[in-house]
Amino acid sequence: ASGRTIAFGGRVVPGSEPDGPGGNAKYKNTKESPVYSKSSTLYGLNWAKASIVRLGYVIVCEGYTDVIGCARAGLPNAVATCGTALGEQHLSLMKRFAKKVILAFDADSAGASGAARVYQWERSHDVEIHVASLPEGSDPGSLADQNIEVLSASIKAAKPFLAFQLERLLAGRDISNPEGRAKVLSEGVRLLAQHPNELVRHQYLVMLANRCRVPEDMARSALSQAMKPSKGSTSKVEPVAPMGKAQPGRALFDAEAVPRTEMEALRLVAQEPIAASEILRIRGIFVSDEVVEVINAIEEGGFDLQVARGLLRDELVELLARTAVEPTLSSVPEVVVRILDGAVERELQELRAFAAADDHDFEKAARMVGVLRRAKEDLKDPERSEIAKEALIGWFAEKFEQKPGAMSE
């Protein structure tokens, strides 16, 4: 996003025959590294970001040549994923510049996007996802060669994801007879049932009923049946509360009760997993059990936030969604030092209370207070900070394992 080169991507020239290992590959790209993660990189963002902000939306394509095609068609606000599926980190990145996202994939790819995933993205990242209906078998790159006007018109006519699904369903079916209309209505209400917003479902239901020439009350009855959980299933479709508001019967996690530094640590783990590995070493001294639970889920899910979501209690999913998109304000070293400093202060308070209540161990407690005070001072000294940090991490680790602390010796 800053314009600094982090990787290279090459495409086989049409008509040439690549040779060597993997010779049939269409693309040849830099392998992933600590500075190049496909799941968090969007090709062309460095050029497109100003236009995205100015126009208020971002066009997402599947490849480099699609971005080039959009630029040729006068659409400078296009970016592309780098050989991987669109994911949570891409959405987090795009949300910084615009809230409207237009998917400019080929028809099959756009239609295959999972509805549950798209609607979750809209809720978690507070974005609006639309889909451009491109001609069958085409993509932005090929359309730029064949018919730039069609490409431009397709982008401008992009529809919300559910509208795109319904239009695609209606365009490919014969509704000239009762049997055809009944079948389309049945499939249509299944699409509607996946949307979490009741008002949105209602408005599209009216449209679907009119197109299929079916009474609205009959269509509503069909939708109610489609929304009932299948036999043996415990899941059901329900309206999802806006971010920050609890649903009936569901506890809402109180982020205000969590120390700010621990919230910042969670943001870093969610957004910068490689750099945040040091935070994982000190999670044992966190005050918030909920933050630790989310961090554990992120690690257990291989730092894939979608996987982590499935491992969390419902009330913590919102916490993960928030921290995955909120801007980070501190570096990992700064956060680690602040968390250690806070843990030392809590330890000092406990030692003072212990010394006041037990004369027998007063001297031992007093010595430990002196050691921790020196470590606390060293944390703020640039020359001694790293040594103090490692000593404290080791001491707390041993303390929680109920072993004698190295510093106490």
Side-chain angles (χ1 to χ4, degrees):
S2 66
R4 290 178 293 177
T5 303
I6 58 172
F8 291 93
R11 187 186 190 282
V12 174
V13 176
S16 68
E17 290 297 329
D19 50 21
N24 293 325
K26 186 176 180 181
Y27 292 92
K28 183 67 176 177
N29 304 314
T30 298
K31 293 182 179 179
E32 290 199 86
S33 71
V35 295
Y36 174 48
S37 169
K38 293 179 182 179
S39 63
S40 58
T41 300
L42 290 167
Y43 170 74
L45 182 59
N46 54 311
W47 296 303
K49 60 185 180 182
S51 297
I52 293 170
V53 173
R54 176 171 55 84
L55 296 170
Y57 67 97
V58 54
I59 303 166
V60 185
C61 308
E62 290 183 288
Y64 314 131
T65 53
D66 294 327
V67 173
I68 295 169
C70 283
R72 290 169 57 201
L75 301 167
N77 52 330
V79 299
T81 54
C82 298
T84 187
L86 188 65
E88 290 281 346
Q89 294 183 64
H90 295 131
L91 268 294
S92 298
L93 189 56
M94 287 186 283
K95 183 192 171 183
R96 300 176 190 175
F97 304 97
K99 288 192 173 184
K100 182 177 178 181
V101 177
I102 295 179
L103 305 182
F105 300 160
D106 65 51
D108 289 338
S109 296
S113 300
R117 181 177 56 173
V118 169
Y119 300 143
Q120 184 56 52
W121 284 342
E122 291 185 324
R123 294 195 301 269
S124 300
H125 300 281
D126 190 24
V127 295
E128 302 170 12
I129 296 181
H130 289 56
V131 182
S133 184
L134 303 179
E136 196 73 29
S138 65
D139 55 40
S142 61
L143 269 181
D145 287 332
Q146 299 160 9
N147 196 325
I148 282 182
E149 289 76 16
V150 171
L151 172 57
S152 182
S154 297
I155 297 297
K156 290 177 181 176
K159 293 181 173 62
F161 183 75
L162 179 54
F164 168 80
Q165 286 189 308
L166 290 172
E167 286 294 335
R168 197 164 180 245
L169 171 66
L170 290 163
R173 297 299 180 86
D174 179 6
I175 53 175
S176 62
N177 58 73
E179 290 81 6
R181 291 194 291 272
K183 189 168 184 180
V184 168
L185 179 70
S186 178
E187 293 185 28
V189 295
R190 282 201 291 272
L191 294 175
L192 294 178
Q194 297 177 73
H195 200 285
N197 189 297
E198 183 178 4
L199 294 175
V200 172
R201 292 197 301 265
H202 170 73
Q203 293 178 68
Y204 281 112
L205 179 69
V206 173
M207 180 273 289
L208 183 63
N210 289 337
R211 292 284 292 274
C212 292
R213 286 177 271 171
V214 173
E216 189 179 322
D217 58 346
M218 187 176 293
R220 191 170 303 283
S221 175
L223 176 59
S224 297
Q225 289 295 319
M227 293 183 67
K228 289 180 180 179
S230 58
K231 189 175 181 180
S233 169
T234 58
S235 64
K236 63 178 181 178
V237 177
E238 58 183 14
V240 176
M243 192 170 291
K245 295 183 180 180
Q247 296 181 31
R250 178 176 293 181
L252 181 66
F253 175 74
D254 183 11
E256 297 301 320
V258 177
R260 291 182 180 180
T261 305
E262 293 186 13
M263 285 293 290
E264 182 70 353
L266 180 53
R267 292 186 196 102
L268 288 166
V269 172
Q271 298 178 35
E272 304 176 26
I274 296 174
S277 59
E278 193 171 4
I279 292 173
L280 301 179
R281 299 172 60 200
I282 61 169
R283 72 190 104 171
I285 61 175
F286 281 26
V287 171
S288 171
D289 291 337
E290 290 84 359
V291 168
V292 173
E293 187 174 339
V294 177
I295 287 176
N296 289 343
I298 293 172
E299 184 181 36
E300 187 178 342
F303 296 95
D304 183 322
L305 301 190
Q306 283 294 93
V307 176
R309 285 178 54 83
L311 302 174
L312 288 170
R313 294 179 281 135
D314 287 343
E315 60 267 30
L316 295 185
V317 170
E318 170 71 11
L319 176 61
L320 174 63
R322 281 184 51 183
T323 53
V325 299
E326 290 174 340
T328 56
L329 305 175
S330 307
S331 67
V332 171
E334 289 171 339
V335 168
V336 170
V337 166
R338 290 206 298 269
I339 289 175
L340 285 170
D341 185 75
V344 170
E345 186 57 43
R346 292 192 298 273
E347 195 71 21
L348 286 171
Q349 291 175 4
E350 288 184 17
L351 283 168
R352 292 183 191 114
F354 176 77
D358 193 332
D359 292 337
H360 179 70
D361 283 332
F362 178 81
E363 288 187 9
K364 180 180 178 182
R367 285 197 305 272
M368 197 63 235
V369 166
V371 171
L372 288 174
R373 276 180 176 168
R374 286 194 299 274
K376 188 175 168 70
E377 292 172 1
D378 287 348
L379 275 176
K380 300 173 184 177
D381 186 321
E383 294 183 358
R384 299 194 293 269
S385 180
E386 280 300 316
I387 295 174
K389 186 168 63 176
E390 288 302 318
L392 283 168
I393 290 174
W395 183 77
F396 277 116
E398 291 185 348
K399 180 179 186 292
F400 291 123
E401 291 176 7
Q402 297 182 338
K403 295 178 181 179
M407 293 180 64
S408 66
E409 297 171 357

